């Protein structure tokens, strides 16, 4: 058993017998959804990214991998990590999401700028890239990574900024495009068409819309309102034939390409 201080616990459930198959204690709390690459599980803690290994019987805490990403005054904790391209990618400044008021616009409380965080899975080296450089940003979802085109997309839901970056061979990020857009839900990438599926909320009209962008240029390809007065802050779900399912706290909708 590890000697680190316990602040939260990860539990594996055996699906057939519905029994606990393994437990692993962590030194920090976490609000983020779990991410996995095969039998390796990544957890975004309050200040570090942690790694666990499943050996078929139990979860083992990786004592040698603890990547500290909270290094700036006013910076707050991260949300869900995307595991791709030898790195973990997530957005920080997730604190304050309980202030959601039908929209995240203007609801951020973190004084440091919101960052796209990249953690190298070999070295645990951390790179912070500002989305827009403004204070009081907030998110409650992960970024979108198109590893084939080497483009990373992050957003600041409080300041209504959506931004794309080119991923260098050494993992460094350089700005590619930026646009004003009230996006808060999980963005989705359609790799074969280069489409980035996002949302845009109009707080004056109380109307949320799905917006399909060209991931390489940020140009808008399609837009359709979905009938939700509330801004979606949850996951989009891809369908089976050029369609997807949208969910907010008030509305479930299906959107398809004619």
């Amino acid at each position: 058993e590890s000697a680190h201080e316990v602040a939260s616990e990860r539990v594996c459930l055996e699906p057939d017998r519905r029994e606990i198959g393994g437990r692993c204690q962590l030194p920090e709390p976490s609000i983020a959804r779990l991410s996995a690459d095969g039998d390796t599980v990544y957890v975004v803690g309050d200040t570090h990214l942690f790694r666990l290994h499943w050996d078929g019987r139990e979860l083992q805490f990786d004592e040698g991998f603890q990547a500290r990403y909270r290094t700036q005054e006013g910076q707050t904790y991260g949300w869900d990590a995307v595991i791709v391209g030898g790195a973990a990618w997530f957005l920080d400044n997730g604190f304050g999401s309980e202030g959601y008021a039908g929209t995240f616009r203007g609801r951020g409380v973190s004084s440091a700028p919101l960052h796209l965080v990249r953690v190298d899975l070999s070295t645990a080296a951390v790179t912070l890239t500002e989305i827009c450089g403004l204070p009081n940003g907030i998110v409650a979802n992960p970024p979108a990574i198109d590893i084939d085109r080497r483009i990373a997309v992050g957003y600041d839901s409080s300041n209504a900024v959506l931004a794309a970056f080119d991923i260098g061979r050494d993992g460094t990020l350089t700005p590619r495009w930026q646009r004003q857009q009230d996006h808060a839900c999980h963005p989705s990438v359609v790799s074969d068409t280069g489409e980035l599926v996002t949302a845009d909320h109009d707080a004056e009209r109380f109307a949320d819309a799905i917006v399909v962008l060209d991931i390489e240029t940020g140009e808008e390809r399609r837009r359709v309102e979905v009938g939700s007065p509330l801004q979606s802050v949850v996951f989009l779900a891809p369908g089976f034939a050029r369609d997807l399912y949208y969910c907010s706290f008030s509305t479930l909708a299906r959107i398809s390409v004619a």
Side-chain angles (χ1 to χ4, degrees), residues 141-203:
N141 279 294
I145 311 297
D146 187 335
I147 201 62
D148 294 331
R149 292 177 177 81
R150 303 196 67 81
I151 298 174
V153 179
Y155 47 95
D156 180 336
S157 299
S158 181
N159 290 303
V161 175
L162 191 66
F165 304 87
D166 288 312
I167 306 170
R169 294 297 171 183
D170 60 353
T172 58
L173 300 181
T174 55
R176 185 181 183 95
W177 54 259
Q178 185 180 111
R179 58 184 279 137
Q180 285 291 131
Q181 187 172 319
D182 279 274
H183 173 89
C185 65
H186 186 315
S188 297
V189 177
V190 184
S191 296
D192 58 345
T193 61
E195 293 170 323
L196 175 69
V197 185
T198 64
D200 192 12
H201 185 256
D202 186 333

Side-chain angles (χ1 to χ4, degrees), residues 26-255:
L26 293 181
E28 293 179 7
S30 171
I31 196 172
R33 301 169 183 92
L34 302 178
S35 305
D37 182 11
D39 291 330
T40 301
V41 179
Y42 292 90
V43 183
V44 180
D46 186 54
T47 60
H48 293 77
L49 177 71
F50 299 107
R51 184 161 64 193
L52 314 174
H53 300 287
W54 171 253
D55 64 4
R57 293 178 296 121
E58 58 185 15
L59 279 171
Q60 297 288 343
F61 181 77
D62 189 339
E63 298 278 0
F65 185 93
Q66 297 185 48
R68 185 179 181 89
Y69 67 88
R70 279 182 68 177
T71 57
Q72 298 183 6
E73 184 177 354
Q75 182 187 13
T76 62
Y77 57 72
W79 277 76
D80 326 334
V82 177
I83 310 299
V84 69
W89 310 79
F90 56 94
L91 297 161
D92 65 358
N93 287 1
F95 179 73
S97 60
E98 71 278 3
Y100 172 79
T103 174
F104 271 148
R105 185 68 176 267
R107 308 304 293 180
V109 296
S110 304
S111 58
L114 193 150
H115 303 91
L116 175 56
V117 183
R118 179 187 184 273
V119 179
D120 189 293
L121 299 184
S122 297
T123 66
V126 176
T127 303
L128 301 178
T129 303
E130 293 181 359
I131 296 300
C132 61
L134 299 174
N136 302 319
I138 199 169
V139 296
N141 279 294
I145 311 297
D146 187 335
I147 201 62
D148 294 331
R149 292 177 177 81
R150 303 196 67 81
I151 298 174
V153 179
Y155 47 95
D156 180 336
S157 299
S158 181
N159 290 303
V161 175
L162 191 66
F165 304 87
D166 288 312
I167 306 170
R169 294 297 171 183
D170 60 353
T172 58
L173 300 181
T174 55
R176 185 181 183 95
W177 54 259
Q178 185 180 111
R179 58 184 279 137
Q180 285 291 131
Q181 187 172 319
D182 279 274
H183 173 89
C185 65
H186 186 315
S188 297
V189 177
V190 184
S191 296
D192 58 345
T193 61
E195 293 170 323
L196 175 69
V197 185
T198 64
D200 192 12
H201 185 256
D202 186 333
E204 293 184 0
R205 296 192 303 113
F206 295 97
D208 212 12
I210 287 293
V211 181
V212 179
L213 305 175
D214 185 313
I215 196 169
E216 295 187 304
T217 66
E219 294 180 357
E220 188 172 315
R221 291 187 181 181
R222 300 176 180 88
R223 173 183 293 259
V224 59
E225 293 193 357
V226 293
S228 174
L230 304 179
Q231 182 181 50
S232 173
V233 294
V234 294
F235 274 50
L236 299 173
F240 301 95
R242 297 281 284 159
D243 61 342
L244 63 88
Y245 293 87
Y246 162 100
C247 184
S248 72
F249 294 137
S250 66
T251 305
L252 178 65
R254 177 178 176 268
I255 299 94

